[in-house]
Amino acid sequence: MNRRDPHSRGTAPHLTAPCSVRPHPPYHDRVDIDAWIWWLIVAVGLGIPLVLTAMPEFGMFAVGAVAGAVTAALGFGIVAQVIVFAVVSVALIAVVRPIAARHRAGTAAPATGIDALKGRQARVVERVDGEGGRIKLAGEIWSARSLDADRTFEPGEEVDVVEIDGATAVVI
């Protein structure tokens, strides 16, 4: 049984045998890449500025692109892929960014100098009252006075430093 060859372009019908090998379709210079690979390329592209600028928003968009790649790999269409990318990216920015901002704002720089001495404990070396006295604070002898003028601390007692006033530790 003979049939018409669907790959022929001429005007004359070409007849082929049912078992004959059909010619290959014409060669194209374009490369077909699956959509999920494109999404991964986008994710890597968004990861580069994340590393270079340390802006976490790029990372959130990169995660959205990975979600788009998963959606494409599962066989969903381009509309679903773009929707998943947008929803995941926006959700991450809406949820993670405020948490990160609060975390960053709540981190105080470590105290240095006299600020590092506030709140520390010291041992009374010479009687401390509202007029003065001496304490051993961080391995050094400091002049000190009591925050409450009526309160007196005897040698050997532990006191807490609440403030540094010039070269004098104010203790309770």
Side-chain angles (χ1 to χ4, degrees):
M1 173 176 182
N2 292 339
R3 1 184 256 195
R4 188 174 196 287
D5 183 3
H7 296 291
S8 69
R9 296 181 192 249
T11 56
H14 295 279
L15 301 176
T16 59
C19 296
S20 70
V21 177
R22 297 176 193 250
H24 292 287
Y27 176 74
H28 296 288
D29 282 340
R30 67 175 203 179
V31 176
D32 290 330
I33 299 179
D34 291 336
W36 67 272
I37 294 175
W38 284 113
W39 281 110
L40 291 180
I41 292 170
V42 169
V44 170
L46 288 167
I48 291 170
L50 166 67
V51 173
L52 295 177
T53 65
M55 290 181 62
E57 291 82 4
F58 284 111
M60 295 173 205
F61 282 119
V63 171
V66 170
V70 170
T71 306
L74 292 174
F76 290 94
I78 188 69
V79 173
Q81 295 168 31
V82 171
I83 289 172
V84 167
F85 166 74
V87 167
V88 169
S89 298
V90 169
L92 285 173
I93 288 174
V95 173
V96 174
R97 191 170 179 216
I99 293 171
R102 276 195 307 270
H103 185 295
R104 212 173 326 149
T107 304
T112 59
I114 60 172
D115 291 330
L117 299 175
K118 294 177 185 176
R120 294 197 52 184
Q121 285 194 333
R123 182 170 302 279
V124 176
V125 177
E126 293 178 13
R127 183 177 179 200
V128 175
D129 56 21
E131 298 293 317
R134 299 234 181 246
I135 61 171
K136 187 167 189 174
L137 173 63
E140 297 179 359
I141 302 295
W142 280 72
S143 61
R145 67 178 166 81
S146 176
L147 179 65
D148 181 6
D150 298 333
R151 180 88 161 104
T152 302
F153 301 98
E154 297 300 326
E157 285 187 64
E158 293 286 325
V159 292
D160 293 320
V161 177
V162 292
E163 185 180 343
I164 301 292
D165 183 18
T168 303
V170 180
V171 299
I172 55 171

